[in-house]
Amino acid sequence: MTRKLLFLLVGLLLRVLPSQAQEFAWQAQLGPVPQPGYHRILLSPQVTGHAQPNLEDLRLFQGKGQAVPYLVRTESPVQYRTLFKPYQILRYTRQPGGVSELLVHNPEKRRINNISLQIGNAEVRKQVSLSGSDDQQNWYVLKEQDVLYAIRNPRSTAEVKLLDFPLSDYRYFRLQLNDSASAPLNILQAGYYDTYSEAGKYTRIPIQSLTRVDSTQNQTTYLHLRFGQPVYPEQIVFHISAPHLYFRSGQVIMGKQKGQERRRKRRRRARMEEISVPLLLHSNAPAVLELPRQKVEELTIQIENADNPPLTIDSVQVLQLNRYLVAALEPHQTYTLRFGNEKLNAPDYDLQFFQDSIPQDIPVLQVQNLQSVSGPKTPKQAQNSKLLIWAAIAVLAVGLGYMTVRLLRDMEKKG
């Protein structure tokens, strides 16, 4: 009988403790899944604001509660991309046993010092020469002799070879290849690589209220923004219409959650440490300010006007970098995103070892129907939960003590 009681108590503890750890304060539904495969789930400011700072407590469930593995992806503020941009090949005259010619058009007279050739794989060496012209009549040498070496690419049927030459802006380039010792090359494209920067994608954070005060005494403009919930602002964009020329310094004051003080009058109050971020607005640069990622519910912007009239600010936008969950989803299924649990650790999914196998350009889904699941517990509810756990532990300890005494008595009788 005693053993059954102990088993019941252990079972009670095992049920109570996980239930405490798996409670979520918020949940949201995913929009319709258009097709099977991997999707990016865009996390709105409302989701990231109520989740842990590094999103450790996010859980994605399918149907009635089956967990769906996911990866977290975050946009970079600036991304550098390299693209192969082809030139127009006007003609490629192949002459087996002689000299083949490739004529490339540079209509914009772009200043270049290389041509990249996309060539079908071949085990061969070719002697080549390059010349340039603006009218296809008068040709001028750029490279008297060069060698294209053996091309071998085990992962693709084509390879790109780079041919360097002095910086030139001819309208036409003529590449001559010596095919006297072997068949001509299979030249697929000729072009160049262009590297460009691309700004990361941001989501606008809704502003609940914005108040402005232009103080003549302090010669300062104060903008106070309230969001109505915790958010992580990472960029502020000002739209300024007047004056035409301006140069103003200032600061943005944001609160950083530092910790929790002891209970005062049965309440826990979060202590906030103010962080000041320098601000410089001038008419020769975009009015954009990058912010450190901190959880706040309001911002104060101070713009020092000195002896100038205040700026005419048409609008202020607060943004956060896009963050996504990447998961394999199926159409005609319902998916629920749950979060808002400070005690959960990040999940450990096998998917983390296959990040390179998942395409970058995949469909994006939105979250919708954000709602509070149970809301924060009242002090009485939290106290009752703790009392239940401690009561179970106390009864378990008494039971173990009772069994120990009985075992000792049985041993004495047998001795």
Side-chain angles (χ1 to χ4, degrees):
M1 182 66 181
T2 306
R3 290 182 180 177
K4 291 183 179 179
L5 177 60
L6 288 176
F7 288 143
L8 288 173
L9 289 172
V10 171
L12 176 63
L13 280 175
L14 292 177
R15 291 177 64 88
V16 170
L17 292 176
S19 66
Q20 297 293 320
Q22 289 292 330
E23 290 179 349
F24 297 94
W26 297 87
Q27 73 175 24
Q29 305 298 320
L30 300 193
V33 179
Q35 61 192 40
Y38 285 99
H39 293 72
R40 288 180 294 168
I41 303 166
L42 177 61
L43 302 176
S44 65
Q46 293 82 357
V47 171
T48 57
H50 289 298
Q52 292 187 34
N54 295 320
L55 309 177
E56 298 97 330
D57 57 332
L58 290 181
R59 297 295 186 272
L60 183 62
F61 296 100
Q62 173 184 325
K64 296 182 179 180
Q66 181 181 354
V68 179
Y70 66 82
L71 293 173
V72 176
R73 280 183 180 171
T74 303
E75 292 272 352
S76 299
V78 179
Q79 303 177 29
Y80 294 96
R81 300 183 183 275
T82 301
L83 289 180
F84 179 81
K85 295 187 176 182
Y87 287 122
Q88 180 185 6
I89 296 179
L90 296 181
R91 64 173 180 267
Y92 180 26
T93 305
R94 301 172 182 83
Q95 294 185 3
V99 177
S100 299
E101 287 190 356
L102 178 74
L103 185 61
V104 176
H105 192 199
N106 181 25
E108 299 176 357
K109 292 181 64 68
R110 185 186 300 273
R111 292 162 55 89
I112 62 174
N113 60 3
N114 70 86
I115 293 179
S116 296
L117 300 176
Q118 187 176 17
I119 305 173
N121 285 344
E123 189 79 23
V124 68
R125 294 179 54 178
K126 290 285 185 181
Q127 290 186 347
V128 299
S129 61
L130 184 70
S131 54
S133 172
D134 285 326
D135 56 9
Q136 298 191 54
Q137 300 296 323
N138 301 303
W139 292 94
Y140 305 95
V141 64
L142 287 172
K143 201 152 194 176
E144 182 178 5
Q145 188 174 4
D146 202 348
V147 177
L148 289 181
Y149 289 94
I151 302 169
R152 183 189 296 272
N153 185 353
R155 294 178 297 179
S156 176
T157 58
E159 182 63 89
V160 173
K161 297 298 291 183
L162 186 67
L163 182 65
D164 293 313
F165 51 86
L167 187 67
S168 306
D169 62 352
Y170 290 112
R171 193 179 301 276
Y172 304 98
F173 292 92
R174 182 178 64 185
L175 182 67
Q176 296 177 305
L177 303 98
N178 187 349
D179 291 330
S180 60
S182 61
L185 291 172
N186 180 19
I187 300 178
L188 306 174
Q189 289 188 100
Y192 66 100
Y193 282 97
D194 187 18
T195 301
Y196 67 97
S197 62
E198 181 180 275
K201 296 180 177 61
Y202 288 80
T203 296
R204 188 171 179 175
I205 299 175
I207 300 174
Q208 187 182 68
S209 66
L210 188 156
T211 58
R212 171 172 177 163
V213 176
D214 295 311
S215 174
T216 56
Q217 181 179 1
N218 297 331
Q219 297 180 317
T220 302
T221 295
Y222 297 91
L223 300 174
H224 192 67
L225 287 66
R226 293 184 176 88
F227 304 104
Q229 70 148 72
V231 294
Y232 288 91
E234 294 174 276
Q235 189 180 86
I236 302 179
V237 180
F238 300 87
H239 296 274
I240 301 172
S241 57
H244 179 64
L245 298 174
Y246 59 87
F247 189 97
R248 309 289 171 88
S249 60
Q251 61 180 342
V252 176
I253 300 174
M254 53 194 306
K256 174 184 175 183
Q257 188 171 350
K258 189 174 182 181
Q260 292 195 345
E261 297 177 343
R262 295 181 179 179
R263 186 179 302 174
R264 295 180 180 177
K265 297 181 181 180
R266 297 183 179 179
R267 285 176 142 184
R268 288 187 178 270
R269 298 180 181 177
R271 187 173 61 181
M272 306 297 290
E273 177 190 1
E274 287 187 350
I275 296 179
S276 176
V277 181
L279 169 66
L280 181 62
L281 301 173
H282 58 94
S283 50
N284 292 330
V288 178
L289 176 66
E290 305 294 333
L291 297 176
R293 189 171 186 268
Q294 300 291 348
K295 180 184 287 189
V296 300
E297 294 193 25
E298 56 187 44
L299 292 175
T300 300
I301 303 171
Q302 299 179 5
I303 304 173
E304 300 172 4
N305 300 316
D307 295 324
N308 305 289
L311 297 174
T312 301
I313 302 176
D314 297 331
S315 65
V316 178
Q317 293 182 352
V318 183
L319 310 172
Q320 73 171 30
L321 272 173
N322 283 358
R323 286 167 173 78
Y324 309 91
L325 296 190
V326 178
L329 306 176
E330 296 290 336
H332 311 298
Q333 294 286 342
T334 58
Y335 294 93
T336 304
L337 185 64
R338 295 193 176 98
F339 50 97
N341 188 325
E342 296 181 357
K343 299 179 181 179
L344 278 184
N345 295 322
D348 186 7
Y349 296 131
D350 293 340
L351 207 57
Q352 63 181 310
F353 301 105
F354 303 95
Q355 300 194 40
D356 295 339
S357 302
I358 302 175
Q360 294 292 326
D361 189 15
I362 52 181
V364 178
L365 295 180
Q366 306 286 336
V367 297
Q368 56 192 17
N369 301 328
L370 177 71
Q371 59 181 346
S372 174
V373 176
S374 58
K377 286 186 175 183
T378 64
K380 186 175 181 180
Q381 289 174 329
Q383 185 177 4
N384 290 339
S385 297
K386 290 182 179 179
L387 288 175
L388 178 61
I389 295 173
W390 283 111
I393 293 174
V395 175
L396 180 60
V398 172
L400 288 172
Y402 176 72
M403 286 191 63
T404 302
V405 172
R406 288 197 57 180
L407 287 172
L408 291 173
R409 288 179 180 175
D410 291 342
M411 292 175 62
E412 289 178 357
K413 291 179 180 179
K414 291 180 180 180

